[in-house]
Amino acid sequence: MTVTFPKGFRSAGIAVGLKSTGKPDLALVVNDGPARAAAVVFTSNRAQANPILWSRKVAQNGPARAVVLNSGGANCFTGDFGYETTRLTAEAVATALGSDPNGDASDSAADDILVCSTGLIGTGDQSFRDKIVGNIPQLVQALAADDTTAPAAILTTDSVEKTASHEGDGWRIGAMAKGAGMLAPGLATMLVVITTDAHIDNEVADRALRGATGGSFDRLDSDGCMSTNDQVTLLASGASGVTPDEEEFAAALAAVCDSLAAQLQADAEGASHDIDIEVMGAASVADAVEVGRSVARNNLFKAAIFGNDPNWGRVLAAIGTTEAAFDPYQVDVSFNGVRLCHAGGPDRPVDECDLTPRKTHVLIELYAGEHTATVRTNDLTHDYVHENSAYSS
């Protein structure tokens, strides 16, 4: 189940030739209301793609009606031509929706259309523009309330589609995502569209989305590289007529985002281990995240996991670079349930620890407080280096 699982939404995904594979590469998600609300979270990278620059303005105007997404080109660092391509894309969607017999034509405008792109940075010519803009009418014609084609159209190096859903008491959430490389906070490289038919306002949507992304996507730190194109969009249609308790809705949204983050981690480029770094006993949540992230970004640790080597000394060396409050000589470290380090010294023999399973759990106990956080990462492999050494070729 994907973005059309909730009521009030239609979507479509088609192939327009942006990808050399001939696979779908242009998608559209439309919110048909009747009571639209929206929230958007963008990359914190200062280098931002043209769709991000455009969508930031759209998000300030009020709840967006639709989001159009392409794979096969990031449209980033493509100058005025690239920004104009984004604007023309939004205008084409607004025009096509304005004459859509199956939708509400009363308020179609370019500044109601969010735009997302993903792919190679620094590319985007007239052919790229024509393939997108010229095929928008076909894309709108393909819109359906039972669509399952959109998730495939946003993939780049992903090997699988990524979707999640939640069913509440009379209301629903549906979601789709892409992401396999450049996975680091702010938000972790991804395009995510989340839909709900809950009757909520923009303020509730924004609070819930920021809380959900902060505890999920912002704690996915696969390779320490931050994208220029990250965008997570939440669209609410109000079509269920049900207004859930805000806390209940926020928890459901957080669970959906957490599921997507786990799927992104599992599909990370070239990875052979999915590593959950759980930090317990921190003086604050911020300290727990900082400690977990220091390990997630440590290439020596990541290489050791690739080699199935439970080198706990690299964990202590990594966390010692942080400003978190703890005594490194009181720390315990466990790998896959085996405590290898106790109070800053050796504990169980390392040969008791099996790191051959793909799923890997590292537990760091700081004994400095009562807070906890988990940061997701992956190992550093030959396949990751190979795939990214030839990405643009």
Side-chain angles (χ1 to χ4, degrees):
M1 292 178 285
T2 181
V3 288
T4 55
F5 180 54
K7 299 175 183 177
F9 293 94
R10 292 174 294 151
S11 67
I14 63 173
V16 300
L18 297 174
K19 293 178 180 175
S20 60
T21 60
K23 294 181 178 180
D25 46 22
L26 187 62
L28 179 64
V29 181
V30 175
N31 183 354
D32 288 321
R36 289 197 290 267
V40 192
V41 178
F42 300 99
T43 179
S44 59
N45 196 328
R46 290 169 56 200
Q48 299 183 354
N50 288 304
I52 296 294
L53 300 177
W54 171 269
S55 293
R56 283 188 179 278
K57 295 181 180 179
V58 172
Q60 293 174 354
N61 291 334
R65 183 182 181 190
V67 53
V68 58
L69 313 93
N70 77 269
S71 55
N75 193 9
C76 179
F77 292 119
T78 50
D80 293 340
F81 180 87
Y83 188 82
E84 185 77 356
T85 297
T86 298
R87 183 185 64 80
L88 290 171
T89 300
E91 289 180 350
V93 171
T95 298
L97 288 177
S99 58
D100 176 18
N102 298 311
D104 177 10
S106 62
D107 58 348
S108 296
D111 58 7
D112 293 329
I113 311 299
L114 296 162
V115 181
C116 299
S117 297
T118 181
L120 189 63
I121 294 172
T123 61
D125 54 14
Q126 188 65 47
S127 175
F128 175 84
R129 173 187 288 182
D130 291 345
K131 288 175 181 178
I132 295 175
V133 177
N135 284 289
I136 292 299
Q138 176 190 348
L139 182 63
V140 170
Q141 289 175 3
L143 287 169
D146 58 353
D147 174 64
T148 59
T149 63
I154 63 175
L155 306 182
T156 51
T157 59
D158 306 64
S159 65
V160 295
E161 297 176 17
K162 302 169 180 70
T163 63
S165 62
H166 172 84
E167 186 154 16
D169 187 8
W171 57 277
R172 293 174 170 180
I173 298 175
M176 66 179 187
K178 67 79 54 181
M182 293 181 75
L183 295 174
L187 298 162
T189 297
M190 63 185 66
L191 298 182
V192 180
V193 179
I194 307 167
T195 58
T196 181
D197 54 16
H199 191 281
I200 59 175
D201 60 27
N202 294 325
E203 289 72 23
V204 169
D206 186 72
R207 286 193 295 268
L209 184 62
R210 293 184 185 280
T213 56
S216 57
F217 301 129
D218 278 343
R219 296 183 188 177
L220 174 60
D221 204 334
S222 182
D223 57 10
C225 300
M226 188 188 299
S227 171
T228 56
N229 289 63
D230 299 337
Q231 183 170 321
V232 178
T233 303
L234 170 63
L235 302 175
S237 69
S240 70
V242 177
T243 301
D245 174 78
E246 182 174 348
E247 186 174 339
E248 177 189 2
F249 178 78
L253 184 64
V256 166
C257 290
D258 192 67
S259 172
L260 292 174
Q263 293 176 57
L264 294 169
Q265 176 195 31
D267 197 32
E269 291 173 348
S272 65
H273 290 80
D274 305 328
I275 311 164
D276 289 354
I277 304 168
E278 181 181 5
V279 180
M280 297 182 62
S284 66
V285 171
D287 275 7
V289 172
E290 182 183 3
V291 167
R293 201 179 308 289
S294 71
V295 179
R297 292 190 169 186
N298 187 283
N299 284 338
L300 289 177
F301 163 78
K302 292 157 75 73
I305 299 298
F306 170 60
N308 297 325
D309 176 14
N311 191 331
W312 56 267
R314 290 181 176 176
V315 173
L316 290 181
I319 69 176
T321 66
T322 71
E323 296 182 0
F326 66 90
D327 181 349
Y329 301 100
Q330 296 298 319
V331 172
D332 293 350
V333 179
S334 302
F335 283 62
N336 285 351
V338 180
R339 193 175 70 178
L340 301 178
C341 166
H342 174 57
D347 193 8
R348 305 301 304 165
V350 295
D351 58 11
E352 292 185 6
C353 180
D354 180 13
L355 289 185
T356 56
R358 182 178 178 98
K359 197 67 178 176
T360 303
H361 180 254
V362 176
L363 174 63
I364 304 169
E365 299 180 86
L366 298 180
Y367 299 105
E370 299 179 350
H371 297 277
T372 183
T374 298
V375 175
R376 291 184 167 105
T377 191
N378 300 91
D379 54 349
L380 179 59
T381 69
H382 300 300
D383 287 343
Y384 174 84
V385 175
H386 175 73
E387 184 166 344
N388 285 282
S389 69
Y391 182 73
S392 62
S393 60

